[in-house]
Amino acid sequence: MVRVEARSTVRQVACPGCGCRSGQVHGSYLRFPRDLPSVGRLVVVALRVRRFVCGEESCPRRTFVEQVSGFTRRFGRQTERLRSTLVSVGLALAGRAGARMADVFGTPVSRNTLLRLVASLPEPPAVVPRVVGVDEYAQRKGRIYGTVLVDVETRRPIDLLPDREADTLAAWLAERPGIEIICRDRAPFFADGAIRGAPQALQVADRWHLWHNLGEAAEKCVYRHRGCLRPMPAAPDAPQETEEPAVSSPWPTGHRFAERTRARHATVHALLAAGHSKRSVARQLGMGLNTILRFSRATTPEELFTGQWQNRVTRLDAFKPYLDQRWQDGCINAWKLWEEIREQGYPDGYSSVRDYAKKTLRGKPQPIGPRPPSARAVSRWILTHPDALAEHDQLQLKAVLANCPEMTALAEHVRSFARMVTEQEGDRLPEWIESARDTTDLTSLSRFAQHLERDLDAVIAGLTLSWNSGVVEGHVNRIKMLKRQMFGRAGFALLRKRVLLAP
């Protein structure tokens, strides 16, 4: 340990209560604040401080202790240098990781001390930005969401709001009338809050969100025309007679209930053929007389396969032809099949579709020929610039577009929208919307165009101006990292301090 003895030489000190300066000393005592370590050794300062008598009769303080400016504070057990260092560690690494790092530095503190130091920091100074970005972040994914606001010009976060309601955003914007531009996504609550809180500001829809929404609409359009993805098979020269499949037993060979029934059926008929009476057979086998009568009347064991083990009508039967066709089309994901028939009205859960795919569909032969591309792959080809596509993907895309005129129209609309995004030609948007709304065979694209028309001014500004929400998305990812560091302790107040004050 390194011990440093020090004392103050100031003759008069201002009273913290009334501000009057006093030089009358009441007494003195030692304080031992810790300082930053030196060459790996703990540094402790033995600081002798004086207690002064306040000469102002109206002051509620009779005595007060001097504080060394920039070195100590009231009730502080660390110097200001050590305190600022621990605050920086807490802002960067939070509790547990910060405590481990401080221990490596030679200043062991607990994780709770670091979090208390971060929570005690003053609020950052209020600023009124000219261009503000708005987006949501998840405090608890799927349940609780908040709002982050970023100064787009300085790329610094300004504030965090505890929810994503339009009223909260409108109240925050109303307190800052100097905002001129608001960058946001196409969420309706942000649009409503911006209109009510800052009617003078120009709203700019983010281009990335527009392109992402167009990609989702394009994938839905491709999925609705997935029948065009598989090439048409060549017509056979001569019709071939198909043999009728043999009716299989409701129970497969090897099923324990089936084998037991077959064995009992053979035993009963063998005893009856040997001349035993039905009552004698019942006594020998330990079975009821009515059971022996049923076995004796059945000429084959399959006639006894009735009841709960026989194939019965289920809710899935109406959807089995669709499942068989989709399986032949190349979709072998049971969860995807269940989502598709659920949209068509299937009321039950995923397990029935999974069992049907495992027991029935996997045993069926796959179609001869190459597997058709998925809807996601085709939509990716359409959304990618033609010069950036691989040669194999270009050939597959040409084959798809040649088989389906709807896909050709979709590709033309997507590439026209891409030119507006890259070349910032927002004035062409009304013409594009009118053209996309006329595509009756592409319902998802038409619906996307209608949604753009509801937020037309913000979308035109987003396709014309250079402002975007990219920096806001970066801070949303940063908030996710901070929440993972403070898992279980990331309350709104502490999270807000780390987001706004961390360098």
Side-chain angles (χ1 to χ4, degrees):
M1 177 189 297
V2 177
R3 177 187 173 101
V4 179
E5 295 184 357
R7 65 183 180 89
S8 175
T9 58
V10 178
R11 294 183 177 274
Q12 291 185 347
V13 180
C15 174
C18 62
C20 296
R21 304 184 66 84
S22 174
Q24 183 180 355
V25 179
H26 181 274
S28 65
Y29 65 94
L30 287 175
R31 294 180 63 181
F32 299 93
R34 285 193 303 163
D35 197 13
L36 287 173
S38 176
V39 293
R41 294 188 178 186
L42 183 65
V43 176
V44 176
V45 180
L47 178 64
R48 179 167 294 279
V49 294
R50 296 166 293 177
R51 183 178 291 274
F52 290 87
V53 178
C54 183
E56 183 67 28
E57 297 181 356
S58 60
C59 181
R61 293 176 177 266
R62 303 307 304 164
T63 62
F64 61 92
V65 179
E66 64 176 340
Q67 301 293 338
V68 181
S69 177
F71 190 73
T72 63
R73 67 172 58 192
R74 192 180 182 191
F75 303 122
R77 302 182 65 179
Q78 301 102 5
T79 63
E80 290 299 302
R81 292 197 311 166
L82 178 58
R83 180 186 178 89
S84 61
T85 302
L86 294 178
V87 166
S88 300
V89 172
L91 286 174
L93 300 176
R96 295 184 185 275
R100 292 193 293 267
M101 182 59 69
D103 192 18
V104 173
F105 289 160
T107 56
V109 291
S110 68
R111 58 190 175 90
N112 295 326
T113 299
L114 289 177
L115 295 181
R116 281 198 301 269
L117 289 175
V118 173
S120 64
L121 292 175
E123 290 288 329
V127 296
V128 180
R130 190 178 70 90
V131 183
V132 63
V134 184
D135 203 352
E136 63 182 6
Y137 70 94
Q139 296 184 17
R140 189 173 183 183
K141 189 173 181 180
R143 299 189 180 183
I144 305 175
Y145 287 87
T147 304
V148 57
L149 299 110
V150 180
D151 188 344
V152 178
E153 292 182 314
T154 61
R155 310 179 73 86
R156 290 285 301 172
I158 305 172
D159 204 349
L160 257 68
L161 304 181
D163 53 45
R164 57 177 180 180
E165 300 295 330
D167 296 338
T168 307
L169 178 61
W172 189 91
L173 293 174
E175 297 175 356
R176 296 160 178 82
I179 296 177
E180 300 178 4
I181 299 175
I182 300 176
C183 300
R184 57 171 179 83
D185 57 14
R186 297 177 57 229
F189 39 85
F190 287 152
D192 186 21
I195 292 174
R196 288 190 288 159
Q200 79 286 351
L202 174 64
Q203 300 185 35
V204 178
D206 185 54
R207 292 191 295 274
W208 183 89
H209 288 90
L210 295 174
W211 185 252
H212 179 68
N213 295 337
L214 177 62
E216 292 178 342
E219 184 176 351
K220 292 179 181 178
C221 292
V222 175
Y223 176 75
R224 289 183 178 273
H225 295 83
R226 60 184 177 276
C228 303
L229 304 183
R230 181 183 294 276
M232 297 297 294
D237 297 337
Q240 300 179 357
E241 297 181 358
T242 58
E243 298 181 357
E244 296 183 359
V247 180
S248 60
S249 173
W251 282 348
T253 303
H255 197 284
R256 60 192 184 99
F257 295 105
E259 298 300 330
R260 185 178 66 184
T261 303
R262 292 189 179 100
R264 287 181 177 178
H265 181 270
T267 304
V268 169
H269 279 267
L271 291 175
L272 291 177
H276 295 273
S277 65
K278 294 181 176 63
R279 292 184 182 275
S280 175
V281 173
R283 286 194 301 267
Q284 294 181 45
L285 300 180
M287 301 168 63
L289 180 59
N290 292 333
T291 304
I292 298 299
L293 291 175
R294 284 196 305 108
F295 274 82
S296 63
R297 292 169 187 156
T299 57
T300 60
E302 282 72 15
E303 297 179 10
L304 300 171
F305 294 164
T306 59
Q308 61 176 333
W309 302 110
Q310 191 179 17
N311 291 334
R312 296 178 297 177
V313 177
T314 63
R315 295 178 179 177
L316 189 62
D317 291 344
F319 302 92
K320 286 181 180 179
Y322 177 80
L323 295 177
D324 297 344
Q325 181 61 38
R326 291 291 292 125
W327 191 271
Q328 294 297 318
D329 291 341
C331 182
I332 58 175
N333 190 331
W335 184 272
K336 180 66 175 176
L337 295 175
W338 172 68
E339 289 181 339
E340 292 177 7
I341 64 174
R342 187 179 59 176
E343 294 178 356
Q344 300 176 12
Y346 179 64
D348 290 346
Y350 161 70
S351 59
S352 300
V353 181
R354 178 197 59 197
D355 296 340
Y356 179 70
K358 181 179 180 181
K359 297 178 181 179
T360 305
L361 295 179
R362 292 194 185 278
K364 293 186 176 182
Q366 291 293 323
I368 301 175
R371 182 178 176 181
S374 63
R376 177 166 295 185
V378 175
S379 61
R380 178 178 61 83
W381 297 339
I382 295 176
L383 292 168
T384 305
H385 195 279
D387 297 339
L389 275 177
E391 183 179 358
H392 178 67
D393 296 340
Q394 291 182 5
L395 295 177
Q396 287 188 303
L397 179 59
K398 288 181 180 179
V400 170
L401 299 182
N403 293 335
C404 185
E406 290 81 5
M407 293 296 98
T408 304
L410 175 64
E412 293 177 356
H413 283 92
V414 168
R415 289 168 183 172
S416 176
F417 193 88
R419 284 193 295 270
M420 286 191 296
V421 173
T422 56
E423 299 176 8
Q424 297 183 357
E425 298 177 350
D427 53 342
R428 294 174 46 200
L429 182 63
E431 179 184 353
W432 185 90
I433 292 177
E434 189 67 25
S435 176
R437 289 182 60 181
D438 296 338
T439 56
T440 56
D441 295 333
L442 304 173
T443 56
S444 298
L445 183 66
S446 177
R447 193 178 300 113
F448 169 73
Q450 293 176 6
H451 289 174
L452 292 183
E453 199 170 18
R454 298 174 185 173
D455 200 14
L456 186 60
D457 294 337
V459 175
I460 292 178
L463 296 178
T464 305
L465 304 178
S466 59
W467 302 108
N468 58 76
S469 301
V471 61
V472 188
E473 296 293 337
H475 281 285
V476 171
N477 290 332
R478 177 169 165 263
I479 291 174
K480 294 178 183 178
M481 180 196 67
L482 297 180
K483 288 178 78 282
R484 293 188 185 102
Q485 286 183 345
M486 299 189 296
F487 180 75
R489 301 292 296 273
F492 174 73
L494 186 59
L495 180 64
R496 182 173 179 272
K497 287 291 182 66
R498 288 199 65 192
V499 171
L500 299 182
L501 298 176

